Amino acid sequence: MGIKNHSKMIAHLFDLRPEEMRPTFLLFFYFFLITFSAYIIKPVKISLFLKGPGPEKLPYAYLLTALLIGFVVSLNSRLLQVMKRQVYISLSIIFFISNLVLFWIFFKKQVPGLSIIYWFWSDIFTATSVTQFWILVNDIYHPRQAKRLVGFLVSGGLLGGIGGALVASFLAGGIGTENLLLICPFLLGLCLLIVNRVRIIPSAERNTAREEQSTKKVKLRTSFQAFRRNRHLLLLAGIVLASIVVTTLVDFQFNVVVNTTYEGTDIRTAFLGRFFLALLVFSYLLHIFLTNRILKNFGIRTALLIAPVVLLVGSIAVLFIPAAFVIYWACSIKGADKSLAHSLNQSVREILYIPVAPEVKYTAKVFIDMFINKIAKGLAALVLLLFFTIFHFSLKEISLITVFFILVWMLLNILITKEYVNIVKTNLKIKWQNADKFIREKIDIDMTKLVFETLQSKNRSSVLYAMNLFDLIKKDKWSPELEEVISCKSDEIMADSMSSLLDLDGESLFPSTDEVLEGGELGRQVEEIMSLDIYQEVMQKHVDKILQEKRADSETARMEIAKALGLMDAGSSLTLRLKELLKDRSSDVVTYAIESAARLKNREFVPLIIPRLNDNALYWTARYTLIEYGAGIVGILSDYLADDQVPLEVRKSIPGILEKIGSVKVPRLLARELKKNVPDLESSLIEAMYKLKSEKPDVIFPEGTVKDKIIDLMKKSYSIICEIHNLISDEKKAFLAKELENNLARKLKHIFELLSLVYAHEEVIRAYQNICTGQKKSIDYSLELLDNILPKVVKEALFPLVEEIPLEEKVKRCRRMQKILDKSGGP
């Protein structure tokens, strides 16, 4: 019962989900045992080397490791590709156990040069075992999971290191330095048991299988090519190289100072054990109290810069420290380097690997973590051989070289944060396109509408039919395919029909139908005829007669007039008669009148068109016409939108029209109306603003207004979640929760649409669409993307609404955030 309670407490503390408990605890103890062994092996390595070859030979040891590691990486890469993951790791552990026993035997026999071989072997052990651990982590977790659990896993490694250092510090003087090696085989034997009990999740197994299929022929050269073609991995390799060079230079300075200060082998081993113990305790406290907080609150960029900034300050500080205090400086800078490397740096670096495609990740990871690591050590060794051995630089002068590499490290850290966001984004596909944009790109709506009107008018009125055909030709929309659809001799029919409309005292102004007119010629003749004064007089009489009669059977004649007026010059006084037709009781007549108004663009018609937005039969025609008017009527539309006496359906239609017009005044106008907090207009205003931003990414909305509305919607969403929780707990009212869930979904959609107005538009929408899929991997990647593009306060307010957590926990977080927003006024 006690163990269960402790497990629950740990799960709550580190945010472990039930399905994650078993693999996470197994990996925790696996890493614990690996680092326990490593921190027994490490003090032995340093102490025995300083006893034998001495500190002046350290650059050669670094160089030897760098030269020989290529063979190990090649073998490691081949084994990784041809063997199952767990079999490969198990055999590696057995190999290391047997090596430790052999080293103990040979050290007892005092074999010459063995300390150099052991130095090389210990580096191989550390690099291989830690890399294998993180490969397992990559197999099991998705990015968001890893970011949440990496702190707990790393704490296992730190505790293991503390245990190993503690054993080394206390037992070195009692049993001797070499005898410490016999402890490690027992620890690695436990690792062997654990690794065969870890179960890779199905999705990871599929990724592994896919990776193994795709890398059957992979060699070391392919491992190099895997990251050479990937900018993200190149930057990551550069970061590893720069950081390891810095670490090696700091390590060299530390070892030289330790060798000068402590002369006896066992005394030196005990000191190193105590030093590593203090270092790891500090690392553990740093990790527990700061790593997760830094990652959560400040993001990857800040986390990446902390270590180089601290080491930069330390490297410069040595220039001003007296010789008597150099041992304290050496311990401080080495402690800072290693404590950050074991906690923050390791956590962030492994997170940077996770979004990389599985078919690239594993071979590249092995190459970077082992080969680049040793290339960096080789480069540091060459630097030390040149400046320390040949030019006899002092430790303070070596620090100036360290400063140079730290600056390179900082630059690469800044560059990779941008690339990381791009990599995460590529894992999130756009799930659906903007419907309006898609239809507009794929379908010529104006053309389709005109063709339908032409076909509909064919049996109703030859005059309307002719004028519609005239529109098609005038707009350069005519084609042989269209002629086949309409199935007529267009020019002949048009000439005959237009003659009936333009017939003056029985004498046609058109040539006979035997003279087939070209479309352009017909258009020019019609325009010339309509501009004649005599035609205007005759047409005036005809219009007066039709409109005065107002008989039911004159509907077709009124439609013909409404269409004909749109063909006239906008300056003609006759076109003003369109006002009467815009008020007609027949929706067909009004449709033609509105379409003609779209051609004429007389502002006097606008107040007669806007109310038609409330008529289902005329809505789309009225909307299209108002859009055609353009920026000239934005002021009028704004007045109608703001007028609470105007029918609600009309007001709700106006934001969409303003968005299509898209003039410079529109963003502020829409934001001003949103600020008024009219609930019935909220949805149409937000949707219009979002669509405008999608069409015109450079559009800028008033940030304060948008953020205020985001806060308002977040608070409402928190309340809805609490209501859903209350309803679900009451079985009699559980059915009511469905409507609330739909309401919450609408609120969440509006929140993301508003976020996309003031933050990275495409990234926010990409994240929202993938969250909507409900797939765990998509949600994880979406949250990771948002975590890198949104400010801290916005993330804290948003994530309780979208994270996949139990409802009870979600309610707690929502209530807490609501209190914070009420106090602070929001993000």
Side-chain angles (χ1 to χ4, degrees), residues 114 468 735 794 802:
L114 188 61
N468 285 328
F735 70 95
V794 177
V802 293

Side-chain angles (χ1 to χ4, degrees), residues 721 725 729 805-815:
I721 287 172
H725 176 258
S729 57
I805 53 177
L807 184 58
E808 291 279 354
E809 180 64 24
K810 190 181 283 277
V811 169
K812 287 179 185 177
R813 293 189 186 183
C814 287
R815 285 173 178 162

Side-chain angles (χ1 to χ4, degrees), residues 53 70 307 338 528 649 674 798:
K338 283 300 179 183
E528 286 174 9
E649 289 304 314
L674 185 66
L798 176 65

Side-chain angles (χ1 to χ4, degrees), residues 686-700:
I686 294 172
E687 186 175 344
M689 294 166 77
Y690 162 68
K691 287 183 177 179
L692 182 58
K693 184 71 173 180
S694 298
E695 292 292 327
K696 300 181 177 181
D698 295 333
V699 164
I700 297 174

Side-chain angles (χ1 to χ4, degrees), residues 268-339:
R268 190 165 47 239
T269 303
F271 164 76
L272 289 169
R274 290 193 300 273
F275 171 76
F276 287 126
L277 173 61
L279 184 152
L280 289 165
V281 168
F282 178 72
S283 297
Y284 182 73
L285 295 174
L286 178 69
H287 180 68
I288 290 295
F289 294 109
L290 287 180
T291 298
N292 283 349
R293 285 180 172 83
I294 290 170
L295 285 171
K296 183 178 179 181
N297 298 329
F298 300 102
I300 285 178
R301 174 175 292 185
T302 301
L304 282 168
L305 289 175
I306 288 174
V309 168
V310 170
L311 294 176
L312 181 65
V313 172
S315 296
I316 294 172
V318 72
L319 301 175
F320 309 99
I321 292 175
F325 296 96
V326 169
I327 183 65
Y328 301 108
W329 166 82
C331 290
S332 297
I333 194 167
K334 173 76 172 177
D337 177 39
K338 283 300 179 183
S339 61

Side-chain angles (χ1 to χ4, degrees), residues 47 60 64-65 281 301 313 346 391 412 446 542 635 680 696 704 823:
S47 188
Y60 295 101
L64 176 67
T65 302
V281 168
R301 174 175 292 185
V313 172
Q346 188 175 24
F391 293 117
L412 293 172
D446 294 344
H542 181 62
D680 291 324
K696 300 181 177 181
K823 257 186 207 177

Side-chain angles (χ1 to χ4, degrees), residues 436-499:
D436 290 347
K437 184 178 180 181
F438 180 82
I439 292 172
R440 188 169 59 254
E441 289 175 352
K442 301 295 182 182
I443 303 172
D444 188 336
I445 297 175
D446 294 344
M447 170 68 167
T448 305
K449 184 173 179 292
L450 192 52
V451 169
F452 273 106
E453 286 180 353
T454 302
L455 292 171
Q456 284 179 336
S457 62
K458 186 174 183 180
N459 298 322
R460 185 160 193 173
S461 164
S462 60
V463 174
L464 283 174
Y465 184 43
M467 287 189 283
N468 285 328
L469 287 173
F470 173 63
D471 270 349
L472 286 171
I473 293 176
K474 188 177 179 182
K475 291 183 178 182
D476 295 325
K477 300 291 185 182
W478 196 256
S479 66
E481 293 81 8
L482 185 58
E483 182 174 1
E484 185 177 347
V485 170
I486 295 178
S487 303
C488 68
K489 294 182 179 179
S490 59
D491 289 341
E492 295 180 19
I493 292 176
M494 199 156 30
D496 287 339
S497 301
M498 292 295 281
S499 291

